[in-house]
Amino acid sequence: MMNKIEHVGIAVKSLKTAIAQYEKLMGVSSYKQEHVASEQVNTAFFKVGVNKIELLEGTGPDSAITKYLEKRGEGIHHIAMDVDDIYAQMRRLQEEGFVLLSQTPKRGADNKLICFVHPKDTHGVLIELCQELKERDNDK
C-alpha cells in the first residue's frame, strides 16, 4: 500500500526565482538541487519537518513541465506517494483499472524510482508513486 505523501511537486517557470521565494517563505534553504535528464527537468527540494516540496522547472520544449506551464501556468503539478514496492503497486493499480503513464518505473529525482498515474483516473490530480532506490536498483 501507500505509506505517506512523499512530497508535493510544484511547476515553476524559473527555478532560481522560485528557490529564492520558497527560501523566504519556508525559512529554510533548498537541501538538494538536481537535473533529471530523462524527464527534462531541473528540481529543487525543501524539507520542513517530515514534509517535502519539490520545485520543477522544464529544461526543453518537450519537457512535461514546460508543456504543463504553457497549458496551466505555475502551480501544483503532482502529489507523490511513498511506496515500499513500486512494481507491486503498479501491478495492483493496473489490476484496479488505473492507467499508468509508463509501464516500468523510471529514475527520478532525490534517489527515487517513479511512475505516474494518469490524472483522468484520479479526479484531475497527477499522482506519482515513488520508492527509495536500493543498492540493487542502482545497477538499473
Side-chain angles (χ1 to χ4, degrees), residues 61-118:
D62 294 330
S63 165
I65 296 301
T66 301
K67 291 176 183 177
Y68 179 91
L69 287 167
E70 289 170 359
K71 205 173 191 180
R72 295 183 182 88
E74 294 182 300
I76 294 177
H77 178 259
H78 67 269
I79 298 174
M81 303 300 293
D82 176 68
V83 299
D84 292 327
D85 184 342
I86 195 166
Y87 297 95
Q89 286 304 311
M90 290 173 69
R91 280 190 304 276
R92 182 184 73 79
L93 291 173
Q94 286 177 314
E95 289 168 4
E96 292 286 348
F98 290 89
V99 174
L100 304 179
L101 298 183
S102 62
Q103 294 306 304
T104 58
K106 299 178 186 180
R107 273 183 191 264
D110 205 26
N111 197 42
K112 303 280 191 281
L113 284 176
I114 63 168
C115 177
F116 289 93
V117 180
H118 199 290

Side-chain angles (χ1 to χ4, degrees), residues 4-8 30-39 41-47 50-56 78 80 82 106-114 128-134 138:
K4 65 178 181 173
I5 294 175
E6 209 286 331
H7 66 268
V8 174
S30 168
Y31 73 85
K32 184 178 201 175
Q33 296 176 36
E34 69 182 282
H35 173 71
V36 182
S38 64
E39 299 297 310
V41 68
N42 289 326
T43 67
F45 285 88
F46 289 85
K47 188 169 185 177
V50 297
N51 301 302
K52 294 194 308 189
I53 290 178
E54 175 187 31
L55 302 178
L56 304 126
H78 67 269
D82 176 68
K106 299 178 186 180
R107 273 183 191 264
D110 205 26
N111 197 42
K112 303 280 191 281
L113 284 176
I114 63 168
E128 177 185 24
L129 305 177
C130 58
Q131 175 188 322
E132 188 81 26
L133 276 165
K134 299 176 179 118
N138 284 321

